[in-house]
Amino acid sequence: MSKKVDPVTVQVIGGALDTIAKEMSHLMQRMAYSSLIRESEDLGAGIFTRFGETLAESDSTPMQLGCLPGYIQGFQEVLGDDQHPDDIIWNNDPYAGASHSPDISLTQPIFYEGELIGYAGTTAHHLDIGGAQPGLIVDAPDVYAEGLVLNGVKLYDKGKPNETLFEIVRQKVRTSSIVIGDLEAQVAACRLGTKRFIELLDKFGKDTVLAAGEELMNYSERMMRTEIAKIPDGEYEAESWLDDDGINLNEKLKVHVNVIKKGDELEIDVSKSADQVASAFNAAYSGALCVSVYSTLRSIFLDTYTHEEFVPANHGVFRPIKVTARKGSIFNPIKPAATFSRANQVNTAADLIIKALTSVIPEKTCAGGSANIQFASYSGLDQDRNYWVYIEVNEGSYGGRPEKDGMDAMDYVSWNTRNNPIEDLDMHTPMICEQYELREDTGGAGKTRGGLGIIRWNRFLTDGFMSMEGDKHTVKPWGYNGGLPGTEASLIKNPDINPEELPSKLNGKRFKAGESVKIMVPSSGGYGDPLERNARKVYEDVLDEIVSVKTAFNDYGVVIEQGHLNMEKTEERREDMRKQRGKLPLFTQ
């Protein structure tokens, strides 16, 4: 029987665990060499039980956090009891829990009085792992072509560095000095997390801390079950499409989500989605799909804005949720299928979960978002014939919400990474940014407006390569309850010289010095009747260059003449529009 701990002590220990995870994350960010970790915070850190259950996680990208239990369980199957104090264990195998292969997890077992009681775990996206293309890979025949993929290998063994593994990284990885620096940042975070957790055990006692951790997980589970139980039992479905797999450019891929609600539990079934593909455009089941499902449902049911009480982000949130994916589908591929480019599939699944649940809990959801990540890598050779690699996350956007406009230039749902500043690009790579701004006049009209994506226009100063893990060139973000759809993505080479439309996915495409590429990220759908939007808000959007005068007139019925809002003509225009249109659709796309 577990020890009973009073509620105050539980909360104190919960706060301490949360602080440990945050401190680990901050240390990684400040020590990291690559901008992807240092600026975008494409990392995760947390404290876990000996079974791999999440006790606390940092405030960074959800995709780097919910996967850590799978990483731990993956290397446990390899190592068994061969775990010791001061070990640092490597796992980046997508068939053993990894999100995808460049997301390397380094984890330290935590021993107390000779007993394994938990783990301090980290993940981070590394610039290169020696695969077929520098940075990102879209076209790969199998997981072996992705580069250095390991599970259950010790970077440090009982505190001693594995010099052979370090040497393999130096010889195999294009940006080895940066990657090793980032690995050492993860090691330092693991050491710090272990130290802080042991200090917590010393202060409160092992039994008290472990019992408090279990109670915190049980509490989060109860809160999640309570919220799930409020919606009617039934099945709620939604479907969309991905542009292609990066090889067969004219063949769309179906994504289908069925949300099955029974009692206080949910099952998310994506089994009707497309079969696995021959490129790297597959998603690992545990490390990618499940993580996206968990983070999306948590944001819907336990959003901090809608709950006065704090609900810890721990393993208890996952317990009422089952994720089902047919073996051999793009969400549960059969090894050795490549899984490097998995972001847009799981973002689309997240968007469809929101769409499916909008029919029963519209007050907790939003219109269609970008459901996308325009993940770009740029690379080339410097004067000494050494590789430089730069990876850039281009922000998405969110659909209009019941009471607020959609968020502009925000990474979508499961990623939540920060933007790469143009100063970092200019200072550290032979590239410059020509344009970086919001996409004016592209958000779907609605009572609340869809968020705007961004335009990012980068130019090579030397010959180089670009890979792009993108999508949504052929699908618009959906509008809800009369709201209009958003604007799809596009990619243009040399927009100022001889514009060339590019597909959403590139694999090591060559660029010459002086050539450039313009990335346009999707803008999101509107929520509710555009004619119900406050006319003065539309006018303010025009003044802010978010909406054009033409769109204000055509979509919102707002008349602006000589720079001023004409309310009398606006009311007349809106009345005419209401008479002419038919019944508003629930979804528009």
Side-chain angles (χ1 to χ4, degrees):
M1 186 173 179
S2 62
K3 181 177 180 178
K4 297 292 184 182
V5 185
D6 68 272
V8 173
T9 302
V10 168
Q11 291 300 317
V12 170
I13 291 173
L17 290 169
D18 188 55
T19 300
I20 293 170
K22 286 184 171 68
E23 193 175 2
M24 292 171 66
S25 171
H26 293 162
L27 178 62
M28 285 175 62
Q29 182 187 356
R30 290 167 181 160
M31 280 188 65
Y33 283 56
S34 69
S35 62
L36 191 58
I37 302 173
R38 172 172 36 84
E39 299 290 348
S40 290
E41 294 186 34
D42 198 349
L43 59 88
I47 298 295
F48 305 84
T49 71
R50 64 189 180 94
F51 303 108
E53 299 167 312
T54 306
L55 288 173
E57 60 183 32
S58 59
D59 294 330
S60 45
T61 170
M63 187 52 66
Q64 293 281 27
L65 294 164
C67 55
L68 273 162
Y71 280 100
I72 293 170
Q73 292 158 13
F75 72 65
Q76 284 177 332
E77 292 183 9
V78 173
L79 292 176
D81 294 333
D82 185 19
Q83 301 177 53
H84 308 281
D86 297 325
D87 282 353
I88 297 291
I89 303 167
W90 174 314
N91 183 5
N92 69 320
D93 184 348
Y95 291 96
S99 178
H100 68 159
S101 55
D103 287 352
I104 298 174
S105 169
L106 295 185
T107 304
Q108 179 171 345
I110 302 175
F111 284 80
Y112 191 73
E113 297 176 348
E115 178 188 2
L116 174 64
I117 59 165
Y119 295 92
T122 64
T123 57
H125 187 135
H126 289 264
L127 280 182
D128 190 78
I129 58 168
Q133 297 290 341
L136 303 176
I137 303 171
V138 175
D139 185 0
D142 54 38
V143 70
Y144 301 104
E146 297 184 15
L148 190 63
V149 177
L150 304 170
N151 176 30
V153 177
K154 296 181 182 181
L155 187 65
Y156 282 79
D157 189 355
K158 300 177 183 177
K160 295 182 179 180
N162 183 342
E163 296 296 350
T164 300
L165 182 52
F166 275 104
E167 189 59 32
I168 289 172
V169 174
R170 291 188 189 98
Q171 293 189 22
K172 185 171 177 59
V173 173
R174 293 176 181 88
T175 56
S176 58
S177 61
I178 294 176
V179 169
I180 288 174
D182 289 345
L183 289 171
E184 290 288 19
Q186 288 183 252
V187 172
C190 289
R191 301 290 191 219
L192 177 64
T194 299
K195 179 175 182 289
R196 293 284 189 260
F197 191 62
I198 289 175
E199 290 172 350
L200 189 65
L201 296 169
D202 287 339
K203 183 174 182 179
F204 289 96
K206 182 187 73 173
D207 292 344
T208 298
V209 171
L210 297 184
E214 187 63 36
E215 176 51 35
L216 288 164
M217 289 190 286
N218 291 340
Y219 170 72
S220 294
E221 179 182 358
R222 290 194 300 271
M223 294 296 291
M224 188 62 152
R225 289 186 183 276
T226 298
E227 294 301 316
I228 291 172
K230 292 178 182 179
I231 65 174
D233 285 1
E235 298 189 19
Y236 310 96
E237 299 182 69
E239 185 174 285
S240 187
W241 299 85
L242 300 161
D243 294 340
D244 52 67
D245 65 2
I247 299 176
N248 304 296
L249 301 186
N250 296 317
E251 297 181 16
K252 290 187 177 183
L253 304 173
K254 183 170 72 173
V255 179
H256 183 278
V257 167
N258 188 18
V259 180
I260 305 165
K261 191 272 181 178
K262 187 175 181 180
D264 59 3
E265 296 185 347
L266 281 177
E267 179 182 358
I268 308 298
D269 189 346
V270 298
S271 295
K272 293 181 182 178
S273 299
D275 293 340
Q276 69 182 65
V277 297
S279 70
F281 199 61
N282 298 294
Y285 168 75
S286 170
L289 173 65
C290 291
V291 176
S292 182
V293 170
Y294 296 148
S295 63
T296 302
L297 292 175
R298 184 181 187 278
S299 69
I300 292 172
F301 290 106
L302 297 178
D303 187 275
T304 53
Y305 180 78
T306 60
H307 283 76
E308 292 183 3
E309 63 273 45
F310 174 69
V311 182
N314 58 38
H315 212 81
V317 175
F318 310 160
R319 291 173 180 167
I321 301 165
K322 179 182 178 182
V323 184
T324 302
R326 171 176 53 87
K327 196 73 173 175
S329 70
I330 55 171
F331 291 112
N332 195 1
I334 300 170
K335 191 174 183 178
T339 63
F340 202 106
S341 297
R342 88 295 189 216
N344 289 287
Q345 303 92 311
V346 297
N347 261 341
T348 300
D351 188 60
L352 292 176
I353 292 171
I354 293 170
K355 188 174 185 179
L357 289 173
T358 296
S359 61
V360 285
I361 47 172
E363 74 283 358
K364 291 181 181 251
T365 58
C366 60
S370 59
N372 172 268
I373 182 170
Q374 303 290 91
F375 211 10
S377 73
Y378 307 91
S379 58
L381 298 171
D382 62 22
Q383 294 179 343
D384 297 322
R385 307 298 293 172
N386 294 317
Y387 266 100
W388 60 269
V389 178
Y390 181 83
I391 295 181
E392 180 178 271
V393 181
N394 291 285
E395 305 89 333
S397 57
Y398 283 73
R401 295 169 284 175
E403 298 177 357
K404 295 183 179 181
D405 292 338
M407 292 181 287
D408 305 321
M410 291 287 290
D411 211 0
Y412 193 68
V413 183
S414 302
W415 262 257
N416 197 37
T417 48
R418 296 170 61 184
N419 70 311
N420 288 70
I422 59 174
E423 293 83 359
D424 190 78
L425 174 77
D426 294 348
M427 289 173 61
H428 297 107
T429 67
M431 300 185 72
I432 56 171
C433 182
E434 300 279 3
Q435 182 184 18
Y436 184 36
E437 60 186 49
L438 295 174
R439 292 184 70 185
E440 180 185 354
D441 210 28
T442 56
K447 184 176 181 180
T448 56
R449 172 183 53 77
L452 303 183
I454 58 112
I455 297 173
R456 182 100 167 196
W457 181 8
N458 293 332
R459 188 179 302 276
F460 284 83
L461 301 180
T462 64
D463 293 353
F465 306 91
M466 179 184 181
S467 291
M468 168 64 81
E469 181 184 343
D471 206 80
K472 297 297 180 291
H473 282 208
T474 61
V475 176
K476 293 183 178 182
W478 48 275
Y480 175 70
N481 198 23
L484 298 185
T487 306
E488 63 269 53
S490 63
L491 189 65
I492 303 174
K493 180 180 179 181
N494 296 329
D496 57 336
I497 304 172
N498 185 21
E500 176 189 353
E501 289 279 349
L502 297 175
S504 57
K505 300 165 191 67
L506 303 176
N507 193 73
K509 186 174 181 63
R510 293 177 181 271
F511 281 75
K512 294 184 180 299
E515 292 189 319
S516 65
V517 62
K518 180 179 282 189
I519 301 167
M520 283 171 281
V521 176
S523 296
S524 297
Y527 190 109
D529 185 353
L531 301 186
E532 293 182 9
R533 183 169 178 81
N534 186 300
R536 295 195 179 279
K537 283 190 174 182
V538 178
Y539 179 52
E540 290 172 2
D541 282 346
V542 171
L543 294 178
D544 290 337
E545 299 183 346
I546 291 173
V547 172
S548 68
V549 172
K550 182 179 179 180
T551 296
F553 182 81
N554 291 337
D555 294 349
Y556 291 99
V558 172
V559 179
I560 299 171
E561 296 178 327
Q562 298 180 341
H564 297 283
L565 173 64
N566 188 321
M567 282 301 301
E568 183 177 347
K569 288 186 177 181
T570 293
E571 290 172 1
E572 292 174 358
R573 167 68 177 164
R574 286 184 161 183
E575 186 60 30
D576 289 342
M577 291 177 69
R578 289 188 181 99
K579 290 177 181 179
Q580 294 175 15
R581 72 187 184 187
K583 182 180 179 181
L584 294 177
L586 190 60
F587 297 106
T588 55
Q589 194 156 26

